[in-house]
Amino acid sequence: MKIVILSGSNRKKATSTALAKSLEHQMRRQFVDVSLFDLYEKPLPFYSPDDASTRHEGVRELQRLLMEADGIILTTPEYHGGMSGVLKNALDYASQVHFTGKPVLSVSSAGGAVGVSSLQQLQTTVRNLHGINSPEWISLGGTQRAMYEADVPDDAVILDYRAKEALTRFVDLVRTIRAREDMISS
Ligand SMILES: Cc1cc2nc3c(=O)[nH]c(=O)nc-3n(C[C@H](O)[C@H](O)[C@H](O)COP(=O)(O)O)c2cc1C
């Protein structure tokens, strides 16, 4: 079972990326095969339909990770009530072939108390890509972000019980769907 996390911030010390790393480390502790693609570390060129079959290394790596994944986690800062531009740009390189039938967990970090607008926008995009929105989402907001702004060891897991619960529900859903697919194909 493979999970890919697409971290959608273009900021070096982004709280949404710190949260993405905590989710990554929590899954690794549970022996889940997980990859994190960080759009700050690996910026992608602007998507153009005229050049959709780009040979850009980062684009091809992201498309491969999405294709191989059984489940996908999208993390974003909330910008003007929506997802970040860099995340939307990355998702424009994806299509239904990467998302169909796969559970997707949406995660956001907002200046306000909750980032519901960006989460709803993410879920709309997932629906249009024919992914399966996980029953819960993770919203980091307001003063909660302080714990992700401090310098913490690289493999630290900083997740409150709600975030852990949302992650557990997502991983369980990925496992259930994967097991059903294995049963059908055997
Ligand atoms: C361009 C821009 C737009 C923003 N718009 C919103 C917004 O609509 N709602 C909100 O709650 N916070 C907004 N914020 C604050 C960010 O959501 C907040 O700082 C968030 O924690 C950033 O995530 P990051 O730490 O992953 O970069 C905005 C910040 C920027 C830079």
Side-chain angles (χ1 to χ4, degrees):
M1 185 179 88
K2 287 187 180 182
I3 305 290
V4 64
I5 306 175
L6 177 54
S7 171
S9 172
N10 200 20
R11 187 165 82 88
K12 188 173 184 187
K13 296 198 111 188
T15 54
S16 53
T17 303
L19 176 51
K21 287 180 179 167
S22 272
L23 295 168
E24 177 194 10
H25 298 315
Q26 175 71 359
M27 285 187 280
R28 281 199 202 291
R29 287 182 185 188
Q30 296 163 354
F31 305 104
V32 175
D33 182 350
V34 51
S35 307
L36 188 142
F37 192 100
D38 179 354
L39 288 166
Y40 174 80
E41 300 282 349
K42 294 176 181 170
L44 305 183
F46 280 129
Y47 173 79
S48 164
D50 292 335
D51 189 22
S53 60
T54 175
R55 300 197 66 77
H56 185 274
E57 199 184 320
V59 171
R60 291 168 75 86
E61 182 188 348
L62 177 61
Q63 289 174 332
R64 180 182 57 75
L65 288 171
L66 290 171
M67 189 66 96
E68 290 173 356
D70 299 298
I72 298 163
I73 298 179
L74 303 175
T75 72
T76 187
E78 176 152 308
Y79 283 172
H80 304 318
M83 73 180 89
S84 67
V86 292
L87 179 58
K88 183 62 173 63
N89 182 60
L91 290 173
D92 288 344
Y93 282 105
S95 64
Q96 290 165 2
V97 77
H98 300 105
F99 275 80
T100 298
K102 297 179 184 178
V104 183
L105 174 62
S106 293
V107 179
S108 83
S109 172
V114 282
V116 169
S117 306
S118 52
L119 290 167
Q120 283 177 335
Q121 197 193 48
L122 276 175
Q123 291 206 336
T124 299
T125 303
V126 168
R127 198 186 64 224
N128 280 276
L129 285 163
H130 294 191
I132 300 171
N133 281 304
S134 197
E136 293 177 32
W137 59 30
I138 300 176
S139 171
L140 178 67
T143 53
Q144 270 185 315
R145 292 172 302 157
M147 59 186 180
Y148 293 99
E149 279 160 352
D151 282 328
V152 290
D154 207 32
D155 59 351
V157 171
I158 310 166
L159 296 173
D160 66 13
Y161 78 96
R162 282 176 197 275
K164 279 190 179 155
E165 190 64 24
L167 181 64
T168 300
R169 293 280 297 261
F170 164 73
V171 171
D172 285 350
L173 183 61
V174 178
R175 274 210 183 94
T176 303
I177 290 175
R178 179 63 205 262
R180 195 168 301 167
E181 278 170 2
D182 287 349
M183 207 172 70
I184 290 167
S185 63
S186 68

